[in-house]
Amino acid sequence: MAVSDSDFTFDAAPDLPASLVQDQLDLGSESIHIAQKLLQLTSDVIAIYDLAHEHLICQNHSLALLLGYTNTDHIDEKIILHVVLHPDDISIFAGHLEQMKFAGDEEIGEITYRLQHANGLWRLFSVRTMIYKRHADGSVEQVLMVARDITEQHESAARLQADNALKLAQLEQAAEKIANEREKMQALSHFVGRTGHELRTPLTIITTSLYLLKKMNDPLKQAERLQIVENQVAQLSRLISQMHILMKLDSIHQPITPVTLSLNTLLTKLEQDMASAIARKELIFELDFADDLPAIQGDLELVVIALRNVLENAILYSDSGTIRAQTTSRNNQVILSVTDTGIGIQPEDLAHIFERFYKVETDKKNARVAAGLGLAIVKCIMELHGGSITAESEFGRGSVFTLVWPL
Ligand code: ADP
């Protein structure tokens, strides 16, 4: 029976939709009419394709409408394959049809492919295919295809996915920040705990000494005690200032704002500042400068602290011999090496001396209040400048500390 409803035209084989409706559903003419209306109403594309002849037998108008053509336009298999189907999807489409030749009666094949709208933009379709008719020998003759435009659905899913990915990245960033803060808090609480411990011993010595002083009558013993208190106070104030520097360094989150500095000039000034400490020992202090040493970029206060710590250590851990501060430039770097002929450092200690609160065993017994923070401070400062500090040492013979600044 031919379908004559003017709103529902099957251009290629006008009698097939009716047969489709009748054959499959065994409906009366009233029901056929309803089925035709339903096919007309649906925005999905419904079509029957002849697999053997590679020919689109019939379809409703949805494809034409969805692709921006008037409902009288006829989009046949040639136009689909050679004009509107995305070139990259031709093989997907062909493969799908080929697969359907071997499908079971109840099997539903599914693919998605892109078709070009009349406005030039690509639309994404999801297609479900089922066997409609077989030849007498059982081979597949025709398939029924239902295609749905899922462009918006796909785009909003992609947008949602992108939104989710963005939110996830933001949350990951926030979580990382919180973890970093937590780590910093833990480090700070460890630091505060350690500093409390480091301060306790000298404070006890001071308190006890003050108590004893009140009871002492011998002026010589009093002088001795006073000297102890004086030393402890001096070292305590050094310790507190070191803790202060380290906490300040820890709170620097932005790169430092550097100024141009001459390392040779700074070292010359420091040598003058330390003249009395050097003179108290049998030490020779040598400055060996490269004349054409390029200036470094750095924070004046921090660079002076780093230089002072390394030079003071060299003086402190050497009783006699020579301390040499040598500057050179090589491979776009300015290098300072401070060599001493002091007590040296055991290899097992050398690996740890840049760690916070690390003190070598002999130093712990020393009356000097040393928290093992000086070199940790230097390391921190050098890293803030994009540079480094390393140490080499031979126990009993001396040490070399090398500081490198990038140019
Ligand atoms: P502190 O701030 O307590 O002086 P540092 O961090 O400066 O500690 O040094 C850590 C340890 O490294 C010291 O306890 C000391 O034993 C050792 N050290 C540092 N410099 C020298 C040096 N030039 N010669 C020998 N030992 C050194």
Side-chain angles (χ1 to χ4, degrees), residues 98-164:
E98 195 55 35
Q99 241 178 357
M100 286 312 293
K101 288 183 183 167
F102 306 98
D105 283 345
E106 299 308 316
E107 211 174 304
I108 298 173
E110 278 191 79
I111 49 159
T112 53
Y113 55 74
R114 288 157 290 178
L115 296 178
Q116 196 167 32
H117 191 276
N119 65 11
L121 297 175
W122 292 101
R123 311 285 309 174
L124 187 69
F125 284 82
S126 154
V127 183
R128 287 160 67 83
T129 311
M130 222 180 164
I131 289 166
Y132 170 59
K133 223 177 204 172
R134 290 186 184 275
H135 289 114
D137 63 1
S139 63
V140 178
E141 186 185 347
Q142 294 168 1
V143 288
L144 182 62
M145 303 176 107
V146 178
R148 177 167 290 183
D149 185 338
I150 56 163
T151 314
E152 272 75 33
Q153 189 187 333
H154 181 76
E155 280 172 357
S156 72
R159 260 197 307 274
L160 191 66
Q161 202 175 23
D163 277 359
N164 287 347

Side-chain angles (χ1 to χ4, degrees), residues 238 242 309-310 313-318 340 342-345 353-355 358-360 362-363 368-376 393 398-399 401:
R238 176 175 175 264
Q242 278 189 330
N309 279 0
V310 174
N313 276 349
I315 298 168
L316 190 69
Y317 296 106
S318 311
D340 66 56
I343 60 171
I345 305 162
I353 53 170
F354 296 108
E355 291 167 15
Y358 189 83
K359 291 178 274 189
V360 309
T362 46
D363 239 35
R368 191 174 84 97
V369 181
L373 291 177
L375 289 176
S393 189
S399 315
F401 285 83

Side-chain angles (χ1 to χ4, degrees), residues 93-351:
F93 189 76
H96 173 65
L97 293 177
E98 195 55 35
Q99 241 178 357
M100 286 312 293
K101 288 183 183 167
F102 306 98
D105 283 345
E106 299 308 316
E107 211 174 304
I108 298 173
E110 278 191 79
I111 49 159
T112 53
Y113 55 74
R114 288 157 290 178
L115 296 178
Q116 196 167 32
H117 191 276
N119 65 11
L121 297 175
W122 292 101
R123 311 285 309 174
L124 187 69
F125 284 82
S126 154
V127 183
R128 287 160 67 83
T129 311
M130 222 180 164
I131 289 166
Y132 170 59
K133 223 177 204 172
R134 290 186 184 275
H135 289 114
D137 63 1
S139 63
V140 178
E141 186 185 347
Q142 294 168 1
V143 288
L144 182 62
M145 303 176 107
V146 178
R148 177 167 290 183
D149 185 338
I150 56 163
T151 314
E152 272 75 33
Q153 189 187 333
H154 181 76
E155 280 172 357
S156 72
R159 260 197 307 274
L160 191 66
Q161 202 175 23
D163 277 359
N164 287 347
L166 188 74
K167 270 188 201 140
L168 184 71
Q170 285 169 341
L171 285 172
E172 271 174 350
Q173 248 178 3
E176 200 183 308
K177 219 168 150 186
I178 292 168
N180 281 344
E181 289 303 321
R182 186 173 162 267
E183 237 170 67
K184 272 189 213 152
M185 298 275 281
Q186 275 176 341
L188 187 67
S189 109
H190 175 74
F191 186 69
V192 170
R194 279 302 304 256
T195 50
H197 173 78
E198 296 296 334
L199 295 172
R200 204 168 300 128
T201 316
L203 277 173
T204 310
I205 297 175
I206 292 170
T207 322
T208 316
S209 298
L210 290 176
Y211 171 80
L212 291 174
L213 266 168
K214 277 190 223 158
K215 306 211 164 243
M216 278 176 186
N217 294 320
D218 183 347
L220 268 176
K221 285 198 170 154
Q222 277 179 339
E224 262 174 39
R225 254 309 139 185
L226 277 171
Q227 187 59 52
I228 292 173
V229 174
E230 212 171 45
N231 287 346
Q232 294 294 316
V233 169
Q235 298 291 356
L236 258 182
S237 83
R238 176 175 175 264
L239 185 57
I240 289 166
S241 100
Q242 278 189 330
M243 289 168 183
H244 190 246
I245 293 165
L246 213 46
M247 286 179 83
K248 197 171 127 188
L249 286 171
D250 282 347
S251 66
I252 297 177
H253 297 303
Q254 270 129 31
I256 48 161
T257 319
V259 292
T260 302
L261 301 171
S262 157
L263 210 53
N264 290 352
T265 311
L266 294 178
L267 288 164
T268 309
K269 279 194 188 134
L270 280 169
E271 186 208 15
Q272 288 159 7
D273 289 354
M274 294 175 184
S276 58
I278 298 164
R280 264 183 253 129
K281 296 186 164 186
E282 289 169 28
L283 284 171
I284 300 165
F285 200 97
E286 277 180 13
L287 293 175
D288 180 2
F289 292 159
D291 296 333
D292 52 354
L293 191 74
I296 59 161
Q297 297 298 313
D299 179 294
L300 174 64
E301 192 191 343
L302 296 182
V303 171
V304 169
I305 290 171
L307 299 179
R308 189 183 283 278
N309 279 0
V310 174
L311 293 175
E312 276 180 354
N313 276 349
I315 298 168
L316 190 69
Y317 296 106
S318 311
D319 285 329
S320 58
T322 306
I323 294 170
R324 198 163 89 244
Q326 186 183 38
T327 57
T328 48
S329 77
R330 193 179 330 125
N331 304 332
N332 258 345
Q333 292 174 327
V334 167
I335 302 159
L336 163 69
S337 50
V338 177
T339 310
D340 66 56
T341 49
I343 60 171
I345 305 162
Q346 303 262 32
E348 58 270 29
D349 290 318
L350 198 60

